Every structure is written in structure tokens, then in C-alpha cells.
Amino acid sequence: MSVAEPRRIVLFRHAKADWPQVNDHERPLADRGRMDAAEAGRRLADTDVPFDLAVCSTATRTRETWKLAVHEFPHRPKTIYEERVYEASPGELIAVLNETPDDAQNVLLIGHNPGVQGLAEVLSGSAEGDARERMNRRGFPAAAFAVLSFSGSWKTLEPGVATLLDYWAPSE
């Protein structure tokens, strides 16, 4: 893969979680979250982005979201479970993505708010169509995702270098 070819980053917030008497990291998905995660997986598969790598938070709700979503994909990308994604700021998420090997062209990051929404806002220096307006109007509810594109090495990923191509959130 050439670093001159546009790369895709999909920022995917975990689906709706339940609130049982467990610590936050161990919270599972709610019934609605399981349905929305599968629907998000179908929508992600419809983007026709061939993911090379998924970077997923180690939290139970993100791992469950990913397991349900990836089941809808035509091929399963390599998956890395990264504890630094849990409760990460946009800057910390950029640092994680900067470590991505350049042979990975398209990466999916499954994480949490406010970091995922903040990262989508910080990275997208421009947007196509009404993607930014839809994202600004809806925010980043559970199971939402943003598709971004940028050119260059993963080490050059920084605020403002990406274009927001698409945004999707489940119906409320």
C-alpha cells in the first residue's frame, strides 16, 4: 500500500450499554445496544471500506459491540484490543493511531465518548456533503460512526488533516 493513497479511518462509538452493578469498564451492552451494534455492522459493511485493522477498547461494551458488528462484514480484519482507547482523549487516540503500521490502509477504531466524537471533530478539517451538519445535529450517540479520509503516513495524522466523508447514527 502506498502512503499516497487516501486512508480511511472509521471512528465507531460502542452501542448502548446497560447499567448493572459492575465497574464502568465491565458494563455490558443493553438489549437495544445489541440490536444497534448489528445494524451499525451492516451499515459499515455497506461502506465497502475493506478494513485492514480494528483497534478496540478493552471495555466489555466495546468488545461486545465489535463482536456483533464484525459478524456483518464480508471479511474480518485483524483486531487489536488496546486498553489506552478506554477513556482516551482525542489527543491520546491520535497517539494510538500514529502507531498504526503504514501497511494498514483502512482502520476502524471502536471506542467511547467524549473521545471518539472529539476525535472526529478535531481530525476533520473539511467535510463532504452534509456529513458535518448531520454529525453536529445528532452528536455522537451510542453505535454512531464517522468515516474520515486522509493522505499520508499514520505518523502524520494530526488535527485538521482529514475529510469527514460520512456519518451514521441509529434512529432514536
Coordinates of all heavy atoms in Angstrom, one line a residue, residues 59-92:
A59 N -12.8 -2.4 27.1 CA -14.1 -2.4 27.9 C -15.0 -3.4 27.3 O -15.1 -3.7 26.1 CB -14.7 -1.0 27.9
T60 N -15.8 -4.0 28.2 CA -16.8 -5.1 27.8 C -17.7 -4.6 26.7 O -18.0 -5.3 25.7 CB -17.6 -5.6 29.0 OG1 -16.6 -6.1 29.9 CG2 -18.6 -6.6 28.6
R61 N -18.3 -3.4 26.8 CA -19.3 -2.9 25.9 C -18.7 -2.6 24.5 O -19.4 -2.8 23.5 CB -20.0 -1.6 26.4 CG -19.1 -0.5 26.7 CD -19.8 0.6 27.5 NE -19.1 1.7 27.9 CZ -18.4 1.8 29.0 NH1 -18.3 0.8 29.8 NH2 -17.7 2.9 29.3
T62 N -17.4 -2.3 24.4 CA -16.8 -2.1 23.1 C -16.5 -3.4 22.4 O -16.7 -3.6 21.2 CB -15.5 -1.2 23.2 OG1 -14.6 -1.7 24.2 CG2 -15.8 0.2 23.5
R63 N -16.0 -4.4 23.2 CA -15.7 -5.7 22.7 C -17.0 -6.4 22.2 O -17.0 -7.0 21.1 CB -15.0 -6.5 23.8 CG -13.6 -6.1 24.0 CD -12.8 -7.0 25.0 NE -13.3 -6.8 26.3 CZ -13.8 -7.8 27.1 NH1 -13.8 -9.0 26.7 NH2 -14.2 -7.5 28.3
E64 N -18.1 -6.2 23.0 CA -19.4 -6.8 22.5 C -19.9 -6.1 21.3 O -20.4 -6.7 20.4 CB -20.4 -6.7 23.7 CG -20.1 -7.6 24.8 CD -21.2 -7.5 25.9 OE1 -22.1 -6.7 25.8 OE2 -21.1 -8.3 26.8
T65 N -19.7 -4.8 21.2 CA -20.2 -4.0 20.0 C -19.4 -4.5 18.8 O -20.0 -4.8 17.8 CB -19.9 -2.5 20.2 OG1 -20.7 -2.0 21.3 CG2 -20.2 -1.7 19.0
W66 N -18.1 -4.7 18.9 CA -17.3 -5.1 17.8 C -17.6 -6.5 17.4 O -17.8 -6.8 16.2 CB -15.8 -5.0 18.2 CG -14.9 -5.5 17.1 CD1 -13.9 -6.4 17.3 CD2 -14.8 -5.1 15.8 NE1 -13.2 -6.6 16.1 CE2 -13.8 -5.8 15.1 CE3 -15.6 -4.3 15.0 CZ2 -13.5 -5.7 13.8 CZ3 -15.3 -4.2 13.6 CH2 -14.3 -4.9 13.0
K67 N -17.8 -7.4 18.3 CA -18.2 -8.8 18.0 C -19.5 -8.9 17.2 O -19.5 -9.6 16.2 CB -18.3 -9.6 19.3 CG -18.6 -11.1 19.1 CD -18.7 -11.8 20.4 CE -19.1 -13.3 20.1 NZ -19.3 -14.1 21.3
L68 N -20.5 -8.1 17.6 CA -21.7 -8.1 16.9 C -21.6 -7.4 15.5 O -22.2 -7.8 14.5 CB -22.8 -7.4 17.7 CG -23.2 -8.3 18.9 CD1 -24.0 -7.4 19.9 CD2 -24.0 -9.5 18.5
A69 N -20.9 -6.3 15.4 CA -20.7 -5.6 14.2 C -19.9 -6.3 13.2 O -20.3 -6.4 12.0 CB -20.1 -4.2 14.5
V70 N -18.8 -6.9 13.6 CA -17.9 -7.5 12.6 C -18.5 -8.8 12.0 O -18.2 -9.2 10.9 CB -16.5 -7.9 13.2 CG1 -16.6 -9.0 14.2 CG2 -15.5 -8.1 12.1
H71 N -19.5 -9.4 12.7 CA -20.2 -10.5 12.2 C -20.9 -10.2 10.9 O -21.2 -11.1 10.0 CB -21.2 -11.0 13.2 CG -22.0 -12.2 12.8 ND1 -21.4 -13.5 12.7 CD2 -23.3 -12.4 12.4 CE1 -22.3 -14.3 12.3 NE2 -23.5 -13.7 12.1
E72 N -21.2 -8.9 10.6 CA -21.9 -8.5 9.4 C -20.9 -8.2 8.2 O -21.3 -7.9 7.1 CB -22.7 -7.2 9.7 CG -23.7 -7.3 10.8 CD -24.8 -8.3 10.5 OE1 -25.1 -8.5 9.3 OE2 -25.3 -8.9 11.4
F73 N -19.6 -8.2 8.5 CA -18.6 -7.9 7.5 C -18.3 -9.1 6.6 O -18.3 -10.2 7.0 CB -17.3 -7.5 8.2 CG -17.2 -6.2 8.8 CD1 -18.4 -5.6 9.3 CD2 -16.0 -5.5 9.0 CE1 -18.4 -4.3 9.9 CE2 -16.0 -4.3 9.6 CZ -17.2 -3.7 10.1
P74 N -17.9 -8.8 5.3 CA -17.6 -9.9 4.4 C -16.2 -10.5 4.8 O -16.0 -11.7 4.5 CB -17.4 -9.2 3.0 CG -17.3 -7.7 3.3 CD -17.9 -7.5 4.7
H75 N -15.3 -9.8 5.4 CA -14.1 -10.3 5.9 C -13.7 -9.7 7.3 O -13.9 -8.5 7.4 CB -13.0 -10.3 4.9 CG -11.8 -9.4 5.1 ND1 -11.2 -8.7 4.2 CD2 -11.1 -9.1 6.3 CE1 -10.2 -8.0 4.7 NE2 -10.2 -8.2 5.9
R76 N -13.2 -10.4 8.2 CA -12.8 -9.9 9.5 C -11.4 -9.3 9.5 O -10.5 -10.1 9.2 CB -12.9 -11.0 10.5 CG -12.6 -10.5 11.9 CD -12.6 -11.7 12.9 NE -12.4 -11.2 14.2 CZ -13.3 -11.0 15.1 NH1 -14.6 -11.3 14.9 NH2 -13.0 -10.5 16.3
P77 N -11.2 -8.1 9.8 CA -9.9 -7.5 9.8 C -9.1 -8.0 11.1 O -9.8 -8.4 12.1 CB -10.1 -6.0 9.9 CG -11.5 -5.9 10.5 CD -12.3 -7.1 10.1
K78 N -7.8 -7.8 11.1 CA -7.0 -8.1 12.3 C -7.6 -7.1 13.4 O -7.9 -6.0 13.1 CB -5.6 -7.8 12.0 CG -4.7 -7.9 13.2 CD -3.3 -7.6 12.9 CE -2.4 -7.7 14.2 NZ -1.1 -7.3 13.9
T79 N -7.7 -7.6 14.6 CA -8.2 -6.8 15.7 C -7.2 -6.7 16.8 O -6.6 -7.7 17.2 CB -9.5 -7.4 16.2 OG1 -10.5 -7.5 15.2 CG2 -10.1 -6.6 17.3
I80 N -7.0 -5.5 17.3 CA -6.1 -5.3 18.4 C -7.0 -4.7 19.5 O -7.7 -3.7 19.3 CB -5.0 -4.3 18.1 CG1 -4.1 -4.9 17.0 CG2 -4.2 -3.9 19.3 CD1 -3.0 -3.9 16.5
Y81 N -6.9 -5.3 20.7 CA -7.6 -4.7 21.9 C -6.6 -3.9 22.6 O -5.6 -4.4 23.1 CB -8.2 -5.9 22.7 CG -9.3 -6.6 21.9 CD1 -9.0 -7.8 21.2 CD2 -10.6 -6.1 21.9 CE1 -10.0 -8.4 20.5 CE2 -11.6 -6.8 21.1 CZ -11.2 -7.9 20.4 OH -12.2 -8.6 19.7
E82 N -6.9 -2.6 22.7 CA -6.0 -1.6 23.2 C -6.6 -0.9 24.4 O -7.6 -0.1 24.3 CB -5.6 -0.6 22.1 CG -4.8 0.5 22.5 CD -3.5 0.1 23.1 OE1 -2.6 -0.5 22.4 OE2 -3.3 0.4 24.3
E83 N -6.0 -1.1 25.6 CA -6.6 -0.5 26.8 C -6.4 1.0 26.8 O -7.2 1.7 27.5 CB -5.9 -1.1 28.1 CG -4.4 -0.9 28.2 CD -3.9 -1.7 29.4 OE1 -4.3 -2.8 29.7 OE2 -2.9 -1.1 30.0
R84 N -5.5 1.6 26.1 CA -5.4 3.0 26.0 C -6.6 3.7 25.4 O -6.7 4.9 25.5 CB -4.1 3.4 25.3 CG -2.8 3.0 26.0 CD -1.6 3.4 25.2 NE -1.5 2.7 24.0 CZ -0.8 3.0 23.0 NH1 0.0 4.0 23.0 NH2 -0.8 2.2 21.9
V85 N -7.4 3.0 24.6 CA -8.6 3.6 24.0 C -9.7 3.9 25.0 O -10.5 4.8 24.8 CB -9.1 2.7 22.8 CG1 -10.4 3.2 22.3 CG2 -8.0 2.5 21.8
Y86 N -9.7 3.1 26.1 CA -10.7 3.3 27.2 C -10.5 4.7 27.8 O -9.4 5.0 28.3 CB -10.6 2.2 28.2 CG -11.6 2.3 29.3 CD1 -13.0 2.2 29.1 CD2 -11.1 2.6 30.6 CE1 -13.8 2.3 30.2 CE2 -12.0 2.7 31.7 CZ -13.4 2.5 31.4 OH -14.3 2.7 32.5
E87 N -11.5 5.5 27.8 CA -11.5 6.9 28.5 C -10.4 7.8 27.8 O -9.9 8.7 28.5 CB -11.3 6.8 30.0 CG -12.5 6.1 30.7 CD -12.4 6.2 32.2 OE1 -11.3 6.3 32.7 OE2 -13.4 6.1 32.8
A88 N -10.0 7.5 26.6 CA -9.0 8.3 26.0 C -9.5 9.7 25.4 O -10.6 9.8 25.0 CB -8.4 7.6 24.8
S89 N -8.7 10.7 25.5 CA -8.9 12.0 24.9 C -8.7 11.9 23.4 O -8.0 11.0 22.9 CB -8.0 13.0 25.5 OG -6.7 12.8 25.1
P90 N -9.1 12.9 22.6 CA -8.8 12.9 21.2 C -7.2 12.8 21.0 O -6.8 12.1 20.1 CB -9.4 14.2 20.7 CG -10.6 14.4 21.6 CD -10.1 13.9 22.9
G91 N -6.5 13.6 21.8 CA -5.0 13.5 21.6 C -4.4 12.2 21.9 O -3.5 11.7 21.2
E92 N -4.9 11.5 22.9 CA -4.5 10.1 23.2 C -4.9 9.2 22.1 O -4.1 8.3 21.8 CB -5.0 9.7 24.6 CG -4.5 10.5 25.7 CD -5.2 10.3 27.0 OE1 -6.5 10.1 27.0 OE2 -4.6 10.3 28.1

